[in-house]
Amino acid sequence: ISILGIGGDWNDVFLDQLAGIAGGNTIFVSSPHDIDLHLDQKIKLLSSLYARNITFELTDNPNAEMRYAFRITPDTNPLPISSSINLGNLYCSGNLSILFEFLVPPIKTTSGKIILAKGKITGDLIRSKIPIRYPLSLSRRYSTTSDQQAPPAILVEAMARLTLYRLQEKARREVMEGQVVKAVGHLQSLATHLLSIGQPDLASAIMIEAEYVRRSHSFSKDGDKRIKYGTKALLLPSGLESDRKSTRLNSSHVSES
C-alpha cells in the first residue's frame, strides 16, 4: 500500500503505520500537480517489479534488541518492529536498503562476534511460482580497542540525515507531552542543521513553525507534516547515491558489511 496524503487534514501516524505494515510508504502532497508526478513514478516502478512482500522473519535473539528500522531504498519509510518485518518490494536492477538500530546489553568478554539479528528473508517472485527463502544473519565483531577504520561514507551520510528525521519525531512527541520549550529548541536545532547542509527553504519553514508552536503550544494544521516529510525526503535515493556499503538486498544476492 502506497499512500498519498493530500493537504494537512489526515492522520499521518496511523497511515505511516499502515504503509509500514504493508511494505509501502506515505507521501505528503501539498499541491494537485504533485499527484500526477507521484502516480507516474509508482506506475513506472510497478513495471520493473521483481519480487514483492520481501519479509525479514526474525527468530528470538537474547543478544540484541532491534529498536528501530527505516527503509532507505527504493523509497523511504519507517518500518514497524515485529517478529516479521515487511521490508517492501524489490525492483529489477535495484537495491532494498534498510537501516537497523540495535540495543546490545553489556558484554563480559573483551572481543568476539555478536549476532544482532537472525532469521530468513521471504518473498514472492513476480515471474515465477518459486518463493524466496533465504537465511540471513546480521552480526558484528566487537573489541575493547578502538576501530581505526572509518565507517562507510554512505552509512555516515544516511545516519546523519536519519538523525534529522528523528529530531522532528522527538519535537512532535514533546509537543504532545506539553514540553513546548524543549520542542521549540529541537525545531530550532533542526533548522540550523538543515541550513548547514544547504536546505534553506525547509529550514525557514521549520523556524516559522517553531514560532507557531511557541505561541500556540501546537503545530499548525499541516506544519508538522511538512517538516516530517520534508526531512524524510532528505533520505531519498537521489541524495544517497554513493557506493552503498550498508546491509542491502538486490535481485541477485544478499550482502552485509
Side-chain angles (χ1 to χ4, degrees), residues 118-136:
K118 190 174 182 179
K120 61 182 177 180
I121 294 290
T122 65
D124 304 315
L125 292 174
I126 297 300
R127 298 176 183 176
S128 171
K129 293 183 179 180
I130 302 174
I132 297 173
R133 295 291 184 273
Y134 198 99
L136 179 63

Side-chain angles (χ1 to χ4, degrees), residues 29-64:
V29 179
S30 57
S31 70
H33 175 266
D34 293 335
I35 298 175
D36 290 339
L37 175 65
H38 290 306
L39 288 177
D40 184 56
Q41 290 174 343
K42 288 295 180 184
I43 291 170
K44 287 180 179 178
L45 275 177
L46 287 175
S47 66
S48 64
L49 186 60
Y50 177 81
R52 62 186 177 187
N53 296 327
I54 304 297
T55 303
F56 190 7
E57 297 182 1
L58 293 94
T59 57
D60 291 337
N61 179 26
N63 298 318

Side-chain angles (χ1 to χ4, degrees), residues 226-254:
R226 290 183 182 276
I227 296 171
K228 177 179 182 177
Y229 294 100
T231 52
K232 192 174 91 162
L234 298 176
L235 285 146
L236 287 170
S238 59
L240 298 168
E241 284 299 327
S242 305
D243 294 334
R244 297 188 192 284
K245 295 184 181 179
S246 57
T247 302
R248 57 188 178 180
L249 171 69
N250 63 34
S251 55
S252 62
H253 68 283
V254 175

